[in-house]
Amino acid sequence: MFGWKRKRIGKIEAKEGASLIMVICVSAFLAAFALAMVYTAGLLLSNASRRLERERCYQLAKSFSQTLDGELFRYTSLDGADPDSFYRFACRFLEYDGYMDYNPSYPETAYHYKAESPAGAQDYGEIEIILYKESDLGGDGLTGIIEYNWDQDQTLAKDPMEEITGQLISRYTFTVEVIVERDGMRYSYSTVYDPSVTYREDAVVCRNPDGARISWDKTTQKWMTDSATEYRPAGGTALITYEIQPGLEKLDTCTFKKSIREIGDPDESGAEGGGP
């Protein structure tokens, strides 16, 4: 009889031990699950913080790019343009041959400028502006031919120079890339423009079929040679060639039109995102 009781007590103790083990396992599982939830929550908060930092970096790049947009669209000619304006610098950049066409094989053809943040504005991070120009493969529009009929043009009293200087010339595409680096983030925001320019009459050189230089006299409405004599083509008709010699001092108007806007992806590795 006592043996039976001892067996029953042993079974009860065994069940209680197994229950205790199960409770310990479940507790350990719940503790691990709680730690996993805490870890996951920490990752979510960290990712949310990084997304917020990326968004700030993007907004800074976009805002600065829009500011430069406004500077380029603020004027249409150098007359009245602020001497220190980005518009004037962009015109000089396009007209000056010292700034070479962009070539990916030669990094020095992309021109870098570090913008200084205003005093007390450290939250803006580091801002870099990259400029480059690429020649229009369709031709520069700087040369052409005028068909001159002496009898007819004298009757109509046309001014060929107005036709030459009135044409819009697109020699380049112009890219402005803004890179902002802040809180370990780097964001690139690029805008491509199609500039159109016109030049003054003193930029135009005209020559007769023999290659001699001639010029249009607005008062007499005649073509004149360098010796101040009227040029009359043999047979009454001639093809007069002209060449526009560009330069900042000869620029009449310059307008910018957006062509392409490329928004680069944020990059935490320090490499540039997007852009050419």
Side-chain angles (χ1 to χ4, degrees), residues 153-178:
D153 285 359
Q154 293 301 304
T155 302
L156 298 176
K158 297 195 309 183
D159 188 341
M161 302 304 291
E162 291 184 358
E163 180 179 351
I164 296 174
T165 58
Q167 62 181 328
L168 292 175
I169 298 175
S170 298
R171 300 173 59 202
Y172 302 103
T173 57
F174 176 53
T175 300
V176 179
E177 181 178 2
V178 176

Side-chain angles (χ1 to χ4, degrees), residues 50-59 61 180 182 184-189 263-274:
R50 300 303 289 173
R51 283 197 298 270
L52 180 59
E53 291 169 359
R54 286 196 295 267
E55 179 65 20
R56 287 176 179 172
C57 195
Y58 158 71
Q59 290 296 341
V180 173
R182 180 180 183 274
M185 298 291 177
R186 188 177 176 90
Y187 203 100
S188 169
Y189 196 98
I263 303 177
D265 294 328
D267 189 350
E268 300 179 32
S269 64
E272 293 182 13

Side-chain angles (χ1 to χ4, degrees), residues 203-245:
V204 182
V205 175
C206 298
R207 300 183 185 277
N208 66 20
D210 297 328
R213 184 166 177 167
I214 58 177
S215 58
W216 180 257
D217 189 306
K218 291 182 176 294
T219 302
T220 62
Q221 298 290 298
K222 297 176 181 179
W223 286 103
M224 307 296 291
T225 66
D226 286 345
S227 59
T229 59
E230 181 184 359
Y231 167 68
R232 292 192 182 186
T237 302
L239 296 178
I240 296 174
T241 61
Y242 69 85
E243 177 185 1
I244 298 176
Q245 299 178 339

